[in-house]
Amino acid sequence: MSRRLRVAVLAGGRSSEHEISLASARSVLESLDPERYDVVAVAIGRDGRWELGSGGGSVAETLPVPAENAPAALGAVDVVLPILHGPYGEDGTVQGLLELADVAYIGAGVAGSALCMDKDRFERVLRESGIPVARSVTLRSGDEPENPFGYPVFVKPARLGSSVGITKAHNDTELRIGVELAFVHDEKILVEEFLDGTEVEVGVLGNRHPIASLPGEIVPLGHEWYDYSSKYDEGGMKLVVPPDGLSEETIARVQEVAVDAFRLTECEGMARVDCFVVDGDVVVNELNTIPGFTSTSVYAKLFEASGVPYEALLQRLIELAVERHERRSKLRY
Ligand SMILES: Nc1ncnc2c1ncn2[C@@H]1O[C@H](COP(=O)(O)OP(=O)(O)OP(=O)(O)O)[C@@H](O)[C@H]1O
Ligand SMILES: [Mg+2]
């Protein structure tokens, strides 16, 4: 019998999505089959400190130098699962550290992670390839609020998640307050036209030839839009898989667009692509390279409904990580 794969799960992290990451990682830890995997958990604090193993083990810094334990421990496992959301986790920084440690890891690489974290750059790449995205203006700190689209508009930090710092502005006053709030979280923000349609999310799984899950419709319950509490409060939303009102052609189109977006942005492993269907057209809102990953998160539910249960999903992601690492280790540079 082959030996068990040594797997490290990174959990927590510096971003405001720290708690969400802990919940995702808890689900992952519970679902990794101990017969197959030898698992170590690495908790990353909001202050960025790494804690190896469970129960107050050794503590290391986030950077490989001068930390003693983190890179050594990371290099000593077969696969790393960075179950981290948002800045300093989903944005290419941790992925860079893992590349330096020469270890396989699940999810997008450095460039794909950084690109998809940045809604401004992401939208430009899609637009250039003819994939519809919302019209938006990009503001940098110090810029005056601007809205050429009429109301309502969405104001968002360029690089965050979980709806943190996002405002649906209905008038000039809300726009001004929304711009101020978004600048608390990032020095680059977007003012985006309102997409008035059906909000759908779709899971993507694979490396260079990925598959798409069935899409699911996001129906916020008791919330005007899919804000933080709609996302995470019990009963804050309903996921309808597949969406009731969409034709088979539209569903196929959503899947096709999601896979195109995934490949165009150099993603590998997994992603959740968030879209709107507006008058039959698929408009991409954003792409998450490390989507919420509990067993009841949208990503897991979408694949479950598509015939890939949570444990199999994890197993597949680990295989994909190993495959990429082996593939890339043959390259000369
Ligand atoms: N242009 C838009 N038109 C209509 N609704 C929008 C628009 N932009 C965002 N929204 C709403 O706000 C929500 C959050 O926006 P978005 O997905 O861009 O942010 P996020 O914080 O990155 O989310 P995630 O938790 O998926 O990473 C969307 O799910 C949608 O309900
Ligand atoms: Mg989203």
Side-chain angles (χ1 to χ4, degrees):
M1 204 187 100
S2 59
R3 69 174 177 81
R4 293 187 303 163
L5 268 193
R6 287 162 304 175
V7 163
V9 175
L10 307 186
R14 289 170 61 186
S15 86
S16 51
E17 293 180 279
H18 179 92
E19 299 301 329
I20 315 298
S21 158
L22 292 182
S24 293
R26 217 173 293 127
S27 263
V28 168
L29 289 168
E30 280 165 14
S31 304
L32 286 169
D33 179 2
E35 303 261 312
R36 276 175 177 267
Y37 306 111
D38 182 4
V39 183
V40 55
V42 180
I44 304 176
R46 280 218 68 172
D47 60 356
R49 292 165 74 83
W50 293 46
E51 199 167 314
L52 302 177
S54 51
S58 46
V59 172
E61 309 293 325
T62 14
L63 294 175
V65 181
E68 298 153 40
N69 297 324
L74 293 177
V77 299
D78 298 306
V79 184
V80 176
L81 280 60
I83 308 296
L84 304 166
H85 309 305
Y88 307 108
E90 193 178 345
D91 62 353
T93 50
V94 165
Q95 289 72 16
L97 178 65
L98 299 173
E99 291 288 346
L100 291 175
D102 194 20
V103 62
Y105 58 94
I106 70 166
V110 175
S113 300
L115 176 60
C116 296
M117 189 76 236
D118 185 330
K119 293 179 163 74
D120 164 56
R121 290 292 121 186
F122 170 79
E123 287 182 3
R124 282 170 208 264
V125 167
L126 262 59
R127 208 175 273 131
E128 189 194 80
S129 299
I131 297 185
V133 292
R135 291 177 300 163
S136 63
V137 280
T138 303
L139 302 179
R140 307 267 178 177
S141 352
D143 290 349
E144 285 300 315
E146 200 185 308
N147 172 20
F149 309 119
Y151 289 104
V153 278
F154 273 80
V155 186
K156 36 177 117 166
R159 296 155 288 206
L160 204 58
S162 286
S163 300
V164 173
I166 299 186
T167 300
K168 181 177 182 180
H170 304 81
N171 53 50
D172 287 352
T173 307
E174 289 178 11
L175 174 70
R176 192 174 40 74
I177 294 168
V179 164
E180 224 168 85
L181 171 69
F183 275 134
V184 169
H185 298 283
D186 202 337
E187 46 192 16
K188 180 166 73 166
I189 70 169
L190 279 77
V191 176
E192 214 173 78
E193 71 172 322
F194 175 57
L195 297 169
D196 193 4
T198 307
E199 181 163 13
V200 293
E201 299 191 345
V202 55
V204 180
L205 176 68
N207 283 343
R208 288 170 305 172
H209 303 286
I211 56 164
S213 72
L214 285 169
E217 179 178 354
I218 303 289
V219 184
L221 299 174
H223 295 263
E224 187 186 348
W225 57 284
Y226 197 29
D227 60 9
Y228 188 92
S229 57
S230 170
K231 277 177 188 171
Y232 302 114
D233 288 356
E234 196 66 40
M237 62 84 86
K238 188 174 68 166
L239 181 71
V240 185
V241 193
D244 286 330
L246 301 190
S247 67
E248 269 178 37
E249 291 74 44
T250 306
I251 287 177
R253 180 73 191 135
V254 169
Q255 292 174 313
E256 184 186 12
V257 167
V259 167
D260 285 350
F262 183 95
R263 295 175 71 159
L264 274 170
T265 52
E266 309 286 345
C267 282
E268 290 195 275
M270 65 176 155
R272 197 194 70 228
V273 185
D274 298 354
C275 310
F276 283 84
V277 177
V278 185
D279 298 328
D281 291 329
V282 182
V283 183
V284 174
N285 175 32
E286 59 138 0
L287 183 155
N288 298 279
T289 52
I290 310 181
F293 209 85
T294 70
S295 54
T296 57
S297 293
V298 170
Y299 185 78
K301 281 191 184 161
L302 291 174
F303 271 108
E304 177 115 55
S306 312
V308 188
Y310 190 66
E311 276 185 34
L313 192 57
L314 269 174
Q315 208 169 301
R316 182 71 190 125
L317 285 168
I318 290 170
E319 283 166 16
L320 289 165
V322 171
E323 189 231 68
R324 174 181 54 193
H325 189 250
E326 281 175 3
R327 199 181 77 219
R328 287 176 49 87
S329 65
K330 295 195 190 95
L331 298 173
R332 303 218 175 162
Y333 39 81

